[in-house]
Amino acid sequence: MNKNKTEWEIAQELEPIHWSENVEVISKKEYQDKIKHRANLLLSICNPYFKNSVSKMSILEIGGGATPMVDFIDCKEAVSLDPLANFYLETFPFLKERNVQYDQGKMEELPYTDEKFDFIICRNAIDHVEDINKCLFESKRVLKKDGVFYLAINTFSGLLYLYKAINKDKEHPYTFNIRSFKKTVLNSGFKLSKEIIDSEHHKHFEEMESKTWWKVVLRKLFLKFDSYHFIELILKK
């Protein structure tokens, strides 16, 4: 890899490797059913904050990769944006069969008009971006005045947070603990409607992760010592 490349550019080169290694798993109906179930859970969490019925909403999912939840949401307009959208469409042909508009682009430069979407979804993606403040600004710009922004991410604490802060994961330019993540988000001007921590009981921590014995042991230790959390924020303008 070119040493002059930014952390984000390096991360974008590494990301397709992860997805390519898991094409068979992701393409199975069983796995897609899990994504559908996750989408239904998401709607049940966010539904109390919606002004309109989901069927009348325009929804944008950012950074959903090859498993965007918006694929399984029956709405007026479904859009999935990802910097690698063209790669996913080529690698996972089933995506082309779905009634979703797939756009290739960056979260820092959303190619949409102001206040276009009723609902924006960004799950485990904002730690992959180049400039998180620009991403939050853009998300706020394209969200309707009464819209809802669902933002979720893996966070770390204790020695695991310290380790990740020093030894940065090349696929994740940003590393957060719960406090630093909330502070960054709320400083952008979003208002917090609801905060959920570990609603899926760490299931996401096992998906497509290495089954090497020592890595499995480390994951279990991280969970046991409360070093890892999945935080979900429901936000409004």
Side-chain angles (χ1 to χ4, degrees):
M1 292 183 185
N2 189 328
K3 291 183 179 180
N4 294 322
K5 290 184 178 179
T6 65
E7 289 182 342
W8 182 81
E9 289 172 328
I10 294 172
Q12 291 303 296
E13 289 183 348
L14 293 171
E15 193 70 14
I17 298 173
H18 165 77
W19 291 96
S20 296
E21 290 175 346
N22 291 282
V23 169
E24 185 177 347
V25 173
I26 294 170
S27 300
K28 288 182 178 178
K29 182 180 182 302
E30 179 183 7
Y31 194 86
Q32 290 300 308
D33 285 343
K34 289 181 181 179
I35 305 303
K36 183 177 182 179
H37 176 66
R38 181 177 291 164
N40 289 332
L41 286 176
L42 171 64
L43 291 179
S44 68
I45 292 170
C46 296
N47 191 60
Y49 305 94
F50 294 150
K51 181 179 179 181
N52 300 313
S53 64
V54 175
S55 62
K56 296 179 180 179
M57 289 167 48
S58 294
I59 301 177
L60 168 66
E61 182 163 2
I62 302 170
T67 57
M69 290 181 287
V70 73
D71 282 14
F72 300 101
I73 299 177
D74 185 14
C75 57
K76 182 180 72 175
E77 180 183 22
V79 180
S80 176
L81 177 133
D82 195 289
L84 297 169
N86 293 339
F87 162 77
Y88 296 126
L89 287 169
E90 291 178 8
T91 308
F92 301 90
F94 62 80
L95 292 175
K96 298 176 183 177
E97 301 171 6
R98 295 177 177 169
N99 190 29
V100 176
Q101 174 183 319
Y102 296 95
D103 294 333
Q104 180 152 312
K106 296 175 64 176
M107 193 175 182
E108 291 89 347
E109 301 169 357
L110 296 177
Y112 311 112
T113 57
D114 294 356
E115 299 187 4
K116 175 176 175 56
F117 297 100
D118 300 281
F119 185 32
I120 298 176
I121 303 166
C122 183
R123 185 183 191 279
N124 259 347
I126 204 162
D127 53 345
H128 290 260
V129 302
E130 190 168 22
D131 187 325
I132 192 168
N133 292 315
K134 283 185 179 179
C135 291
L136 292 168
F137 174 84
E138 280 290 275
S139 299
K140 192 175 180 183
R141 179 183 66 79
V142 303
L143 184 67
K144 291 183 179 179
K145 288 181 180 178
D146 55 1
V148 174
F149 182 25
Y150 168 86
L151 181 61
I153 196 174
N154 295 320
T155 62
F156 310 92
S157 60
L159 291 177
L160 179 57
Y161 174 69
L162 181 62
Y163 173 80
K164 283 187 167 289
I166 297 173
N167 299 280
K168 288 192 173 183
D169 180 350
K170 291 182 179 179
E171 291 185 52
H172 300 82
Y174 287 90
T175 299
F176 294 101
N177 56 33
I178 290 176
R179 182 179 178 181
S180 64
F181 179 60
K182 286 176 60 180
K183 181 178 180 180
T184 299
V185 174
L186 297 180
N187 280 348
S188 71
F190 276 107
K191 297 177 182 177
L192 180 62
S193 294
K194 188 177 180 65
E195 172 186 336
I196 306 164
I197 298 178
D198 297 329
S199 64
E200 296 184 17
H201 306 291
H202 306 298
K203 289 180 181 178
H204 44 279
F205 201 39
E206 299 294 336
E207 290 179 2
M208 296 187 293
E209 295 289 347
S210 172
K211 298 300 187 290
T212 305
W213 72 268
W214 63 269
K215 289 186 178 181
V216 172
V217 171
L218 278 178
R219 285 201 298 273
K220 291 184 181 300
L221 285 173
F222 291 150
L223 295 178
K224 182 177 180 180
F225 290 103
D226 208 31
S227 298
Y228 168 90
H229 294 284
F230 183 68
I231 182 170
E232 301 168 274
L233 303 180
I234 299 176
L235 305 160
K236 290 221 168 192
K237 294 175 85 165

